[in-house]
Amino acid sequence: MKFTFTDTCRLSNNEIEKTAKILLPYLKHLQLVADKNNYDFAESSINLPFDEKSANEVKNLVKKLKTKKLQYIVDIGIGGSNLGTKAVYDTLFGYFDIVQPDRYPKMIFLDTNDPEFISRIVALLKRIKSPEEIVINAISKSGGTTETITNLEIVLASVGKTIVNTRFVVTSDKGSKFWNFATEKNVPCLEIPTTVGGRYSVLSPVGLFPLMMADLNIDSLLAGARSMRNKCLSKSVLANPAIVSAAILFLHNTKGININDNFFFHPELESVGKWYRQLMGESLGKDGKGITPTVSIGSTDLHSVGQLYFGGPKDKITTIIGAPSAETVVVPGNMTFPLVAHVENKKFGVIMDAIRQGVAATYDNLKLPYMTIILDDLSEKSLGELLQFKMMEMMFLGKLLGVNTFNQPHVELYKIETKKILSR
Ligand code: PA5
């Protein structure tokens, strides 16, 4: 992964370094968390990529449940309990599911209460011929989330008893009511460490189990996260991407820039953007503070919000995210409609790169601030690096903003009101 910011972030290295130095005591604390390598701290999610016991539990369960006939992994969870999994799955498989109808296994995500979607899922589940074609994974840290439990109940009621008894896995906090009910009913349970909050849990069984069931390489995902964690613990602050990115976002925030746009030049990364939206939104949006995360897709959104970004209010700092493509599709040399110059025989990836560089050049010309992340490739390892980078960036940014990065007290508000309405 290549992370660049000098000049383009419109701040001097001196300014960044000065702010970054404020974080040195917190960096020391994170180093202690890493040295302890346990789950005693709010930041203990940084130890997940090193947790072999947890990864092995996932692997053993996958071994038991993985079959050649497996077609669907039904992933039931919301917010931190599914967004990270969806980010990885969509980047490598999900975005392409519509054009690869015969590629199995596929993941089906059930998060919100959508009567139209669930009724089609029920119809699909009724067509399952053998229990081996399906695995159901319900993920809820608290076990009390209305959307997750109601989606789960409908799914369980639509599949036969054999599936409920043999092809159903619960992921939760050990000792939660959900965990206790499930163990009473002999449903296998995977543990989310208590101190690991939903939006920091993608590298726990929350993400690892369904992703491995879906043929994704969790060892590579974890290896990427491990190497990035160590980089983000570096004391040499300008070489520490999480500290630098946090300092840049913070410094712009102090100057009234309250929007961080994540501009992805690979549409399959859109779900990573949605994962980041939650990470930033829930971690920072409190005490009247916060930065609003937005997700843009290159080049699609240049034809919708590009005008606003280039010509509208200067209220955003952008993170441009790209990756080289392994594909070799080219525009034909002998074009039927030779209406656009310099594209014949060009690889599609080269055209996309030119668009990304064109956007960066436009930001430069307009003196708009941005940082750039270029992943080595679109692989589990690169995704592990990116997710770990962003989770640690958020810890540093929360510290700079002076908020509790790990709670989300206001999310409860709608849950309380919803329960009141349902009880009438
Ligand atoms: O990040 C978080 O903590 C939240 O988004 C939760 O993941 C979300 O509210 C779902 O909660 P639970 O996993 O308890 O069902």
Side-chain angles (χ1 to χ4, degrees):
M1 190 194 87
K2 206 165 158 223
F3 172 57
T4 47
F5 56 90
T6 307
D7 298 332
T8 69
C9 72
R10 318 283 159 221
L11 298 164
S12 69
N13 278 4
N14 204 13
E15 258 178 297
I16 298 169
E17 241 172 329
K18 236 164 123 187
T19 303
K21 287 214 168 114
I22 305 172
L23 289 169
L24 289 179
Y26 189 54
L27 177 64
K28 212 168 165 198
H29 171 69
L30 289 182
Q31 281 159 348
L32 171 89
V33 174
D35 289 344
K36 294 272 178 204
N37 197 19
N38 62 22
Y39 292 106
D40 287 352
F41 304 88
E43 296 85 356
S44 284
S45 65
I46 66 170
N47 295 329
L48 285 168
F50 297 82
D51 189 338
E52 283 179 25
K53 186 172 165 261
S54 168
N56 284 336
E57 263 163 32
V58 165
K59 288 176 187 173
N60 289 336
L61 194 54
V62 170
K63 223 182 261 168
K64 277 189 205 151
L65 295 172
K66 187 105 185 159
T67 60
K68 286 219 167 83
K69 286 189 185 164
L70 184 64
Q71 293 200 348
Y72 301 111
I73 299 120
V74 184
D75 185 282
I76 308 171
I78 196 163
S81 288
N82 91 336
L83 285 169
T85 312
K86 191 160 163 48
V88 178
Y89 177 76
D90 280 357
T91 302
L92 295 166
F93 291 137
Y95 182 75
F96 311 103
D97 271 350
I98 188 145
V99 286
Q100 293 186 310
D102 302 327
R103 189 204 61 80
Y104 290 105
K106 294 189 190 302
M107 276 178 80
I108 298 172
F109 293 93
L110 286 173
D111 47 22
T112 189
N113 288 141
D114 182 351
E116 276 64 35
F117 191 62
I118 195 92
S119 60
R120 284 158 179 82
I121 294 296
V122 168
L124 178 83
L125 296 176
K126 297 246 184 271
R127 293 205 300 270
I128 297 285
K129 289 188 200 88
S130 147
E132 291 189 7
E133 290 173 18
I134 186 170
V135 160
I136 300 161
N137 183 202
I139 307 115
S140 178
K141 193 166 167 63
S142 62
T145 303
T146 305
E147 293 94 324
T148 303
I149 297 302
T150 51
N151 272 320
L152 175 63
E153 288 299 330
I154 294 176
V155 167
L156 293 182
S158 315
V159 293
K161 268 218 163 79
T162 328
I163 291 178
V164 179
N165 291 337
T166 60
R167 313 285 300 166
F168 172 38
V169 174
V170 161
T171 309
S172 188
D173 266 17
K174 199 170 192 167
S176 72
K177 280 190 187 158
F178 195 27
W179 175 285
N180 292 342
F181 262 114
T183 32
E184 263 171 42
K185 292 178 196 306
N186 293 320
V187 175
C189 290
L190 290 167
E191 183 183 348
I192 313 170
T194 315
T195 50
V196 173
R199 56 193 177 274
Y200 294 90
S201 70
V202 55
L203 303 171
S204 79
V206 168
L208 297 185
F209 174 71
L211 289 172
M212 192 176 173
M213 286 301 302
D215 284 346
L216 285 143
N217 186 335
I218 62 164
D219 286 327
S220 296
L221 184 76
L222 292 170
R226 276 196 297 274
S227 76
M228 182 52 70
R229 189 202 70 171
N230 292 339
K231 260 191 207 147
C232 295
L233 290 177
S234 164
K235 273 188 222 137
S236 139
V237 288
L238 286 181
N240 182 324
I243 289 190
V244 169
S245 185
I248 291 171
L249 289 166
F250 172 73
L251 282 165
H252 279 290
N253 186 247
T254 59
K255 295 175 186 177
I257 292 188
N258 292 324
I259 300 170
N260 175 213
D261 186 45
N262 287 267
F263 214 144
F264 292 93
F265 284 81
H266 268 283
E268 58 269 45
L269 287 166
E270 182 166 5
S271 295
V272 175
K274 290 190 170 172
W275 167 83
Y276 184 71
R277 231 167 35 152
Q278 187 216 6
L279 182 70
M280 181 176 252
E282 277 191 3
S283 298
L284 307 181
K286 47 202 76 156
D287 310 333
K289 299 176 187 173
I291 301 174
T292 301
T294 58
V295 184
S296 305
I297 302 303
S299 62
T300 316
D301 290 336
L302 290 168
H303 300 267
S304 72
V305 280
Q307 173 60 41
L308 171 75
Y309 292 175
F310 299 142
K314 297 192 171 195
D315 55 359
K316 297 163 208 69
I317 156 117
T318 301
T319 311
I320 292 177
I321 299 144
S325 174
E327 298 297 340
T328 53
V329 186
V330 288
V331 178
N334 190 8
M335 289 167 65
T336 315
F337 296 97
L339 301 172
V340 177
H342 313 302
V343 291
E344 305 95 329
N345 296 315
K346 290 242 159 75
K347 280 192 197 165
F348 237 46
V350 168
I351 296 175
M352 184 56 126
D353 270 353
I355 296 171
R356 177 178 52 73
Q357 287 170 34
V359 169
T362 308
Y363 275 73
D364 284 331
N365 295 338
L366 296 169
K367 304 257 171 299
L368 296 170
Y370 68 93
M371 308 176 246
T372 307
I373 297 170
I374 302 295
L375 305 176
D376 293 343
D377 50 22
L378 290 171
S379 66
E380 290 90 336
K381 182 165 177 286
S382 292
L383 287 172
E385 288 178 5
L386 182 61
L387 298 175
Q388 188 65 70
F389 166 18
K390 290 287 149 182
M391 286 189 281
M392 293 182 75
E393 169 202 279
M394 210 52 65
M395 294 178 194
F396 289 118
L397 193 46
K399 199 36 98 191
L400 286 171
L401 283 169
V403 295
N404 178 346
T405 317
F406 302 101
N407 68 1
Q408 58 285 327
H410 289 77
V411 180
E412 287 310 306
L413 301 182
Y414 96 93
K415 294 188 184 175
I416 296 164
E417 292 304 323
T418 303
K419 280 178 184 156
K420 269 193 221 159
I421 294 165
L422 286 172
S423 72
R424 274 176 215 155

